[in-house]
Amino acid sequence: QVQLVESGGGLVQAGGSLRLSCAASGRTVNRYHMGWFRQAPGKEREFVARIDRSGSSTYYTDSVKGRFTISRDNAKNLVYLQMNSLKPEDTAVYYCAARSTDRPLYDYWGQGTQVTVSS
């Protein structure tokens, strides 16, 4: 019901910043709670951040609190992940995901964007 495309990844030095974007098709982004996940080399996919439909409630995994900020612009069908003070351990493929308000799990996923943080 929704197609997600991530962008904004790249190579940065430790301590630098990136802003990832997730574009949703069909003018449907405000129907979903949104999340960011990541998968580092040799590790399983993990939760990073989530935001509710209105953008009024956010939650982060402990390792990124104070450094990452999730936000959304429903008028533009965009969800963002602002990443500051990046560390080498943040290196991963980052995925945008969406879940319907009546579903317990994220059903829709983008293809991911690579973030590499050099030391």
Side-chain angles (χ1 to χ4, degrees):
Q1 293 183 353
V2 61
Q3 185 173 353
L4 307 174
V5 180
E6 303 95 337
S7 63
L11 174 64
V12 297
Q13 295 285 323
S17 298
L18 283 174
R19 187 170 77 162
L20 306 183
S21 297
C22 174
S25 65
R27 298 175 60 193
T28 59
V29 69
N30 63 357
R31 302 179 183 180
Y32 304 95
H33 303 304
M34 303 297 295
W36 285 97
F37 295 75
R38 66 187 181 187
Q39 187 168 16
K43 300 180 67 176
E44 296 185 352
R45 187 174 299 181
E46 67 172 339
F47 165 80
V48 176
R50 67 172 184 251
I51 188 167
D52 69 358
R53 290 197 300 159
S54 68
S56 62
S57 179
T58 60
Y59 187 80
Y60 303 89
T61 191
D62 286 344
S63 64
V64 307
K65 287 181 179 177
R67 299 189 298 120
F68 290 12
T69 302
I70 187 171
S71 62
R72 65 192 302 163
D73 186 341
N74 288 340
K76 297 181 179 180
N77 294 329
L78 292 173
V79 180
Y80 303 102
L81 185 67
Q82 178 67 48
M83 305 185 296
N84 298 326
S85 301
L86 283 162
K87 304 174 181 179
E89 52 262 44
D90 295 318
T91 295
V93 176
Y94 283 72
Y95 298 90
C96 179
R99 68 174 177 92
S100 299
T101 57
D102 61 347
R103 296 279 291 174
L105 301 175
Y106 289 89
D107 292 325
Y108 307 100
W109 296 82
Q111 293 300 303
T113 185
Q114 176 70 50
V115 172
T116 302
V117 184
S118 64
S119 59

